[in-house]
Amino acid sequence: MALVNLTNMLKKAREGKYAIPAYDVSDYRMARAVLDVAEEINSPVIFMGLKGDLNDDEFDCLSMTLVTLAKNAKVDVAIHLDHSQDFEMIKKAISEGYTSVMIDASQKPFAENVAITKEVVDYAHKYNVTVEAELGHVGDGIVGKSETNLSGDKGHEGTFTKVDELVKFIDETKVDCLAVAIGTSHGVYKGVPKLNLELMDELNKNSKVPLVMHGGSGTPEKDLLKSIELGMCKINIFSDILKGFFTGMKTFLNNTDNLSLWPSLAYKDAIEEMKKVIKEKYELFGCVGKN
Ligand SMILES: [Zn+2]
């Protein structure tokens, strides 16, 4: 049984100055690919379930898949609910074996974000489940629906995490880890994002808990490395592995006339390309051998 929560995993990452890539996985094949790579290089796994993949009985099916993989894994696996704004969904995730949840009330006023997060923390901690919240607001851009605009402009900075609020938020909510807004965005960047790394440094120095980056895909490597050096412990990745997956699939399908082939054959190149990206992130984030 290697199913664990995120708390200790992130504590070790913070002490060891590396980050754990956290992958949104939509189905068995994506999750299996992450686990295969992690077992090969002895790294911990963070599977994330995301709302778009959790409709109706998809929720139950994906939970069973992830829990089964975790229980049989050779490395530690945490199952994390990404970006939930719904307490009922959080309760369901916990009942189905998730060991970590994110409550995202980042678009609400500060006091409301505190109150909502605290309610989730009080509930989740009874089940030994880790809670991640978000303070400030990471730029939007839903994968597959829109492209995220270039961040780092003055308007965008209004949504960055404030140091005094971070201190107060952590004290009042007792949250376990915190997603901060320092200039990254979700989805696919149209330009090069401009991160406020001085702010990252200040936030980390004042934070009692490990910090989390959303919008890790497409962020320049030097900024990822500097963020990790400054204390970033969990970096969420989705768009980059999807790009690997569909690049492999497109190349394969464009080179075959047989569209009645066994699905596992059609997925083969896609999964290999995705695995390359998964491994690259583990290596870049200094997470190889850290299980
Ligand atoms: Zn996110």
Short mmCIF file of all heavy atoms in Angstrom, two decimals, residues 142-195:
data_model
loop_
_atom_site.label_atom_id
_atom_site.label_comp_id
_atom_site.label_asym_id
_atom_site.label_seq_id
_atom_site.Cartn_x
_atom_site.Cartn_y
_atom_site.Cartn_z
N ILE A 142 -8.43 27.70 -19.88
CA ILE A 142 -8.75 26.30 -19.69
C ILE A 142 -8.17 25.49 -20.83
O ILE A 142 -8.35 25.83 -21.99
CB ILE A 142 -10.28 26.12 -19.61
CG1 ILE A 142 -10.82 26.94 -18.44
CG2 ILE A 142 -10.65 24.66 -19.46
CD1 ILE A 142 -12.29 27.23 -18.54
N VAL A 143 -7.47 24.44 -20.48
CA VAL A 143 -6.83 23.60 -21.49
C VAL A 143 -7.86 23.15 -22.52
O VAL A 143 -8.92 22.67 -22.17
CB VAL A 143 -6.18 22.38 -20.82
CG1 VAL A 143 -5.69 21.39 -21.86
CG2 VAL A 143 -5.04 22.82 -19.93
N GLY A 144 -7.51 23.32 -23.76
CA GLY A 144 -8.39 22.85 -24.82
C GLY A 144 -9.46 23.84 -25.22
O GLY A 144 -10.08 23.72 -26.25
N LYS A 145 -9.70 24.84 -24.41
CA LYS A 145 -10.76 25.79 -24.74
C LYS A 145 -10.22 27.16 -25.12
O LYS A 145 -10.79 27.84 -25.94
CB LYS A 145 -11.71 25.94 -23.55
CG LYS A 145 -12.64 24.75 -23.39
CD LYS A 145 -13.72 25.05 -22.38
CE LYS A 145 -14.66 23.86 -22.26
NZ LYS A 145 -15.54 23.99 -21.10
N SER A 146 -9.17 27.58 -24.46
CA SER A 146 -8.66 28.90 -24.78
C SER A 146 -7.17 28.93 -24.52
O SER A 146 -6.62 28.10 -23.82
CB SER A 146 -9.34 29.95 -23.91
OG SER A 146 -9.03 29.72 -22.55
N GLU A 147 -6.54 29.92 -25.09
CA GLU A 147 -5.12 30.08 -24.85
C GLU A 147 -4.92 31.19 -23.84
O GLU A 147 -5.58 32.22 -23.88
CB GLU A 147 -4.41 30.42 -26.15
CG GLU A 147 -4.34 29.25 -27.10
CD GLU A 147 -3.28 29.46 -28.14
OE1 GLU A 147 -3.05 30.61 -28.51
OE2 GLU A 147 -2.69 28.46 -28.57
N THR A 148 -4.03 30.96 -22.93
CA THR A 148 -3.78 31.96 -21.91
C THR A 148 -2.96 33.10 -22.47
O THR A 148 -2.01 32.89 -23.20
CB THR A 148 -2.99 31.30 -20.76
OG1 THR A 148 -3.75 30.20 -20.30
CG2 THR A 148 -2.77 32.26 -19.62
N ASN A 149 -3.35 34.29 -22.12
CA ASN A 149 -2.60 35.44 -22.60
C ASN A 149 -1.31 35.61 -21.83
O ASN A 149 -1.14 35.07 -20.74
CB ASN A 149 -3.47 36.69 -22.50
CG ASN A 149 -3.16 37.64 -23.62
OD1 ASN A 149 -2.05 37.62 -24.17
ND2 ASN A 149 -4.11 38.47 -23.97
N LEU A 150 -0.44 36.38 -22.39
CA LEU A 150 0.84 36.66 -21.74
C LEU A 150 0.60 37.31 -20.39
O LEU A 150 -0.15 38.26 -20.27
CB LEU A 150 1.64 37.61 -22.64
CG LEU A 150 3.02 38.01 -22.19
CD1 LEU A 150 3.91 36.79 -22.11
CD2 LEU A 150 3.59 39.00 -23.19
N SER A 151 1.25 36.75 -19.38
CA SER A 151 1.05 37.33 -18.05
C SER A 151 2.23 38.22 -17.70
O SER A 151 3.16 38.38 -18.48
CB SER A 151 0.91 36.21 -17.03
OG SER A 151 2.04 35.39 -17.08
N GLY A 152 2.20 38.79 -16.55
CA GLY A 152 3.32 39.60 -16.09
C GLY A 152 3.11 41.09 -16.32
O GLY A 152 3.92 41.91 -15.92
N ASP A 153 2.00 41.47 -16.94
CA ASP A 153 1.73 42.90 -17.11
C ASP A 153 1.21 43.47 -15.80
O ASP A 153 0.85 42.75 -14.88
CB ASP A 153 0.71 43.12 -18.24
CG ASP A 153 -0.55 42.35 -17.99
OD1 ASP A 153 -1.43 42.87 -17.30
OD2 ASP A 153 -0.64 41.19 -18.46
N LYS A 154 1.12 44.76 -15.72
CA LYS A 154 0.73 45.41 -14.46
C LYS A 154 -0.68 45.00 -14.01
O LYS A 154 -0.96 44.81 -12.84
CB LYS A 154 0.81 46.93 -14.59
CG LYS A 154 2.24 47.43 -14.65
CD LYS A 154 2.92 47.27 -13.29
CE LYS A 154 4.40 47.62 -13.39
NZ LYS A 154 5.18 47.12 -12.28
N GLY A 155 -1.57 44.86 -15.00
CA GLY A 155 -2.95 44.50 -14.66
C GLY A 155 -3.00 43.15 -13.98
O GLY A 155 -3.69 42.96 -12.98
N HIS A 156 -2.21 42.24 -14.50
CA HIS A 156 -2.16 40.88 -13.98
C HIS A 156 -1.60 40.87 -12.55
O HIS A 156 -2.01 40.07 -11.72
CB HIS A 156 -1.26 40.07 -14.90
CG HIS A 156 -1.33 38.60 -14.67
ND1 HIS A 156 -2.37 37.84 -15.10
CD2 HIS A 156 -0.48 37.76 -14.03
CE1 HIS A 156 -2.15 36.58 -14.75
NE2 HIS A 156 -1.02 36.51 -14.10
N GLU A 157 -0.67 41.77 -12.27
CA GLU A 157 -0.02 41.77 -10.96
C GLU A 157 -0.98 42.07 -9.82
O GLU A 157 -0.69 41.74 -8.67
CB GLU A 157 1.15 42.77 -10.94
CG GLU A 157 2.41 42.15 -11.52
CD GLU A 157 3.64 43.01 -11.30
OE1 GLU A 157 3.69 43.75 -10.30
OE2 GLU A 157 4.54 42.95 -12.15
N GLY A 158 -2.09 42.67 -10.13
CA GLY A 158 -3.11 42.94 -9.11
C GLY A 158 -3.62 41.67 -8.47
O GLY A 158 -4.15 41.69 -7.36
N THR A 159 -3.48 40.55 -9.18
CA THR A 159 -4.00 39.28 -8.66
C THR A 159 -2.88 38.46 -7.99
O THR A 159 -3.13 37.34 -7.55
CB THR A 159 -4.61 38.44 -9.79
OG1 THR A 159 -3.58 38.15 -10.74
CG2 THR A 159 -5.75 39.17 -10.47
N PHE A 160 -1.67 38.99 -7.94
CA PHE A 160 -0.57 38.25 -7.32
C PHE A 160 -0.80 38.11 -5.81
O PHE A 160 -1.46 38.94 -5.19
CB PHE A 160 0.77 38.97 -7.55
CG PHE A 160 1.32 38.79 -8.96
CD1 PHE A 160 0.56 38.23 -9.96
CD2 PHE A 160 2.62 39.21 -9.26
CE1 PHE A 160 1.06 38.07 -11.25
CE2 PHE A 160 3.12 39.05 -10.55
CZ PHE A 160 2.35 38.49 -11.54
N THR A 161 -0.22 37.07 -5.22
CA THR A 161 -0.36 36.82 -3.78
C THR A 161 0.39 37.90 -2.99
O THR A 161 1.51 38.27 -3.35
CB THR A 161 0.22 35.44 -3.44
OG1 THR A 161 -0.34 34.49 -4.35
CG2 THR A 161 -0.10 35.04 -2.02
N LYS A 162 -0.24 38.37 -1.93
CA LYS A 162 0.39 39.39 -1.09
C LYS A 162 0.98 38.72 0.17
O LYS A 162 0.33 37.86 0.76
CB LYS A 162 -0.63 40.45 -0.70
CG LYS A 162 -1.18 41.23 -1.90
CD LYS A 162 -2.25 42.21 -1.48
CE LYS A 162 -2.77 42.99 -2.67
NZ LYS A 162 -3.51 42.14 -3.66
N VAL A 163 2.17 39.15 0.55
CA VAL A 163 2.89 38.50 1.66
C VAL A 163 2.10 38.57 2.97
O VAL A 163 1.94 37.56 3.67
CB VAL A 163 4.30 39.12 1.84
CG1 VAL A 163 5.00 38.49 3.05
CG2 VAL A 163 5.13 38.92 0.59
N ASP A 164 1.59 39.73 3.31
CA ASP A 164 0.85 39.86 4.59
C ASP A 164 -0.40 38.99 4.60
O ASP A 164 -0.75 38.38 5.62
CB ASP A 164 0.53 41.33 4.89
CG ASP A 164 -0.28 42.00 3.79
OD1 ASP A 164 -0.18 41.55 2.63
OD2 ASP A 164 -1.02 42.96 4.08
N GLU A 165 -1.06 38.91 3.45
CA GLU A 165 -2.26 38.06 3.38
C GLU A 165 -1.90 36.58 3.51
O GLU A 165 -2.63 35.81 4.13
CB GLU A 165 -3.00 38.30 2.06
CG GLU A 165 -3.74 39.62 2.04
CD GLU A 165 -4.71 39.77 0.87
OE1 GLU A 165 -4.71 38.90 -0.05
OE2 GLU A 165 -5.46 40.75 0.85
N LEU A 166 -0.77 36.20 2.92
CA LEU A 166 -0.33 34.79 3.00
C LEU A 166 -0.12 34.38 4.47
O LEU A 166 -0.59 33.32 4.89
CB LEU A 166 0.95 34.62 2.19
CG LEU A 166 1.73 33.31 2.37
CD1 LEU A 166 2.09 32.70 1.03
CD2 LEU A 166 2.98 33.52 3.19
N VAL A 167 0.55 35.23 5.22
CA VAL A 167 0.83 34.91 6.63
C VAL A 167 -0.48 34.73 7.40
O VAL A 167 -0.68 33.74 8.11
CB VAL A 167 1.69 36.03 7.28
CG1 VAL A 167 1.83 35.80 8.78
CG2 VAL A 167 3.06 36.08 6.60
N LYS A 168 -1.39 35.66 7.19
CA LYS A 168 -2.67 35.64 7.89
C LYS A 168 -3.51 34.43 7.45
O LYS A 168 -4.13 33.75 8.27
CB LYS A 168 -3.42 36.95 7.53
CG LYS A 168 -4.47 37.34 8.52
CD LYS A 168 -4.87 38.83 8.32
CE LYS A 168 -6.05 39.14 9.20
NZ LYS A 168 -7.28 39.47 8.50
N PHE A 169 -3.49 34.17 6.16
CA PHE A 169 -4.29 33.07 5.60
C PHE A 169 -3.86 31.72 6.18
O PHE A 169 -4.69 30.91 6.59
CB PHE A 169 -4.12 33.05 4.07
CG PHE A 169 -5.03 32.11 3.35
CD1 PHE A 169 -6.31 32.50 2.95
CD2 PHE A 169 -4.64 30.80 3.07
CE1 PHE A 169 -7.16 31.62 2.29
CE2 PHE A 169 -5.49 29.92 2.41
CZ PHE A 169 -6.74 30.34 2.02
N ILE A 170 -2.57 31.50 6.23
CA ILE A 170 -2.06 30.21 6.74
C ILE A 170 -2.37 30.08 8.23
O ILE A 170 -2.80 29.01 8.69
CB ILE A 170 -0.54 30.08 6.46
CG1 ILE A 170 -0.31 30.00 4.95
CG2 ILE A 170 0.04 28.85 7.16
CD1 ILE A 170 1.14 30.15 4.53
N ASP A 171 -2.18 31.15 8.98
CA ASP A 171 -2.48 31.11 10.42
C ASP A 171 -3.96 30.82 10.69
O ASP A 171 -4.30 30.02 11.55
CB ASP A 171 -2.11 32.45 11.08
CG ASP A 171 -0.63 32.49 11.44
OD1 ASP A 171 0.00 31.42 11.47
OD2 ASP A 171 -0.12 33.60 11.67
N GLU A 172 -4.81 31.45 9.91
CA GLU A 172 -6.24 31.33 10.20
C GLU A 172 -6.87 30.05 9.67
O GLU A 172 -7.82 29.54 10.25
CB GLU A 172 -6.98 32.56 9.64
CG GLU A 172 -6.63 33.81 10.44
CD GLU A 172 -7.41 35.04 10.01
OE1 GLU A 172 -8.40 34.91 9.25
OE2 GLU A 172 -7.02 36.15 10.44
N THR A 173 -6.34 29.53 8.57
CA THR A 173 -6.99 28.35 7.96
C THR A 173 -6.34 27.03 8.38
O THR A 173 -6.97 26.00 8.29
CB THR A 173 -6.90 28.41 6.42
OG1 THR A 173 -5.52 28.43 6.04
CG2 THR A 173 -7.61 29.64 5.88
N LYS A 174 -5.06 27.07 8.75
CA LYS A 174 -4.27 25.86 9.03
C LYS A 174 -4.15 24.97 7.80
O LYS A 174 -4.04 23.74 7.89
CB LYS A 174 -4.88 25.04 10.19
CG LYS A 174 -5.05 25.83 11.48
CD LYS A 174 -3.72 26.13 12.16
CE LYS A 174 -3.86 26.82 13.51
NZ LYS A 174 -4.16 28.26 13.42
N VAL A 175 -4.16 25.61 6.64
CA VAL A 175 -4.02 24.87 5.38
C VAL A 175 -2.62 24.23 5.31
O VAL A 175 -1.68 24.70 5.95
CB VAL A 175 -4.27 25.86 4.20
CG1 VAL A 175 -3.07 26.78 3.97
CG2 VAL A 175 -4.68 25.13 2.95
N ASP A 176 -2.50 23.14 4.54
CA ASP A 176 -1.24 22.38 4.52
C ASP A 176 -0.25 22.84 3.45
O ASP A 176 0.95 22.66 3.59
CB ASP A 176 -1.53 20.90 4.29
CG ASP A 176 -2.45 20.34 5.36
OD1 ASP A 176 -2.04 20.33 6.53
OD2 ASP A 176 -3.59 19.95 5.02
N CYS A 177 -0.79 23.35 2.35
CA CYS A 177 0.08 23.88 1.30
C CYS A 177 -0.72 24.92 0.52
O CYS A 177 -1.95 24.91 0.56
CB CYS A 177 0.60 22.78 0.37
SG CYS A 177 -0.64 21.73 -0.38
N LEU A 178 0.00 25.79 -0.16
CA LEU A 178 -0.70 26.94 -0.73
C LEU A 178 -0.23 27.25 -2.15
O LEU A 178 0.98 27.40 -2.40
CB LEU A 178 -0.47 28.16 0.18
CG LEU A 178 -1.29 29.41 -0.14
CD1 LEU A 178 -2.79 29.15 0.05
CD2 LEU A 178 -0.85 30.57 0.74
N ALA A 179 -1.20 27.35 -3.06
CA ALA A 179 -0.90 27.79 -4.43
C ALA A 179 -0.82 29.31 -4.44
O ALA A 179 -1.73 29.97 -3.94
CB ALA A 179 -1.98 27.31 -5.38
N VAL A 180 0.28 29.81 -4.99
CA VAL A 180 0.47 31.26 -5.01
C VAL A 180 0.51 31.78 -6.45
O VAL A 180 0.87 31.04 -7.37
CB VAL A 180 1.77 31.67 -4.26
CG1 VAL A 180 1.62 31.43 -2.77
CG2 VAL A 180 2.98 30.92 -4.80
N ALA A 181 0.14 33.03 -6.60
CA ALA A 181 0.13 33.66 -7.92
C ALA A 181 1.34 34.58 -8.03
O ALA A 181 1.44 35.58 -7.33
CB ALA A 181 -1.16 34.45 -8.10
N ILE A 182 2.28 34.20 -8.90
CA ILE A 182 3.51 35.01 -9.07
C ILE A 182 3.75 35.30 -10.56
O ILE A 182 4.82 35.76 -10.94
CB ILE A 182 4.75 34.31 -8.47
CG1 ILE A 182 4.94 32.91 -9.06
CG2 ILE A 182 4.65 34.24 -6.94
CD1 ILE A 182 6.33 32.33 -8.82
N GLY A 183 2.76 34.98 -11.41
CA GLY A 183 2.92 35.31 -12.83
C GLY A 183 2.70 34.17 -13.80
O GLY A 183 2.72 34.37 -15.01
N THR A 184 2.49 32.96 -13.28
CA THR A 184 2.19 31.85 -14.20
C THR A 184 0.69 31.86 -14.51
O THR A 184 -0.10 32.50 -13.82
CB THR A 184 2.54 30.48 -13.58
OG1 THR A 184 1.82 30.33 -12.35
CG2 THR A 184 4.02 30.36 -13.33
N SER A 185 0.32 31.16 -15.57
CA SER A 185 -1.09 31.03 -15.93
C SER A 185 -1.39 29.60 -16.35
O SER A 185 -0.49 28.88 -16.79
CB SER A 185 -1.43 31.95 -17.11
OG SER A 185 -1.37 33.29 -16.72
N HIS A 186 -2.66 29.25 -16.26
CA HIS A 186 -3.10 27.93 -16.75
C HIS A 186 -3.14 27.94 -18.28
O HIS A 186 -3.23 28.99 -18.90
CB HIS A 186 -4.50 27.62 -16.22
CG HIS A 186 -4.55 27.43 -14.75
ND1 HIS A 186 -5.05 28.38 -13.88
CD2 HIS A 186 -4.17 26.39 -13.98
CE1 HIS A 186 -4.97 27.93 -12.64
NE2 HIS A 186 -4.44 26.73 -12.66
N GLY A 187 -3.11 26.74 -18.84
CA GLY A 187 -3.29 26.61 -20.29
C GLY A 187 -1.99 26.82 -21.05
O GLY A 187 -0.91 26.59 -20.54
N VAL A 188 -2.15 27.28 -22.29
CA VAL A 188 -0.99 27.42 -23.19
C VAL A 188 -0.65 28.91 -23.32
O VAL A 188 -1.51 29.72 -23.65
CB VAL A 188 -1.32 26.83 -24.58
CG1 VAL A 188 -0.15 26.99 -25.52
CG2 VAL A 188 -1.72 25.35 -24.44
N TYR A 189 0.59 29.24 -23.03
CA TYR A 189 1.00 30.66 -23.12
C TYR A 189 1.08 31.11 -24.57
O TYR A 189 1.56 30.38 -25.43
CB TYR A 189 2.38 30.86 -22.49
CG TYR A 189 2.43 30.65 -21.00
CD1 TYR A 189 3.05 29.52 -20.46
CD2 TYR A 189 1.87 31.58 -20.12
CE1 TYR A 189 3.13 29.34 -19.09
CE2 TYR A 189 1.93 31.39 -18.75
CZ TYR A 189 2.57 30.27 -18.24
OH TYR A 189 2.64 30.08 -16.88
N LYS A 190 0.66 32.35 -24.80
CA LYS A 190 0.83 32.93 -26.14
C LYS A 190 2.20 33.58 -26.25
O LYS A 190 2.73 33.74 -27.33
CB LYS A 190 -0.25 33.97 -26.41
CG LYS A 190 -1.59 33.34 -26.77
CD LYS A 190 -2.62 34.41 -27.07
CE LYS A 190 -3.94 33.79 -27.48
NZ LYS A 190 -5.02 34.78 -27.48
N GLY A 191 2.74 34.00 -25.11
CA GLY A 191 4.07 34.61 -25.11
C GLY A 191 4.88 33.99 -24.00
O GLY A 191 4.58 32.90 -23.54
N VAL A 192 5.91 34.71 -23.57
CA VAL A 192 6.72 34.19 -22.46
C VAL A 192 6.22 34.80 -21.15
O VAL A 192 6.16 36.02 -21.02
CB VAL A 192 8.21 34.55 -22.67
CG1 VAL A 192 9.06 33.98 -21.54
CG2 VAL A 192 8.69 34.04 -24.02
N PRO A 193 5.85 33.97 -20.19
CA PRO A 193 5.35 34.53 -18.93
C PRO A 193 6.47 35.22 -18.17
O PRO A 193 7.63 34.82 -18.26
CB PRO A 193 4.85 33.30 -18.17
CG PRO A 193 5.63 32.17 -18.72
CD PRO A 193 5.89 32.50 -20.17
N LYS A 194 6.12 36.26 -17.43
CA LYS A 194 7.12 36.98 -16.65
C LYS A 194 6.81 36.75 -15.18
O LYS A 194 5.81 37.24 -14.65
CB LYS A 194 7.02 38.48 -17.00
CG LYS A 194 8.24 39.25 -16.62
CD LYS A 194 8.22 40.62 -17.28
CE LYS A 194 8.98 41.60 -16.41
NZ LYS A 194 8.21 42.78 -16.06
N LEU A 195 7.67 35.98 -14.53
CA LEU A 195 7.42 35.64 -13.12
C LEU A 195 8.05 36.68 -12.19
O LEU A 195 9.13 37.19 -12.48
CB LEU A 195 8.02 34.26 -12.80
CG LEU A 195 7.10 33.06 -13.03
CD1 LEU A 195 6.62 32.99 -14.47
CD2 LEU A 195 7.82 31.76 -12.67
#
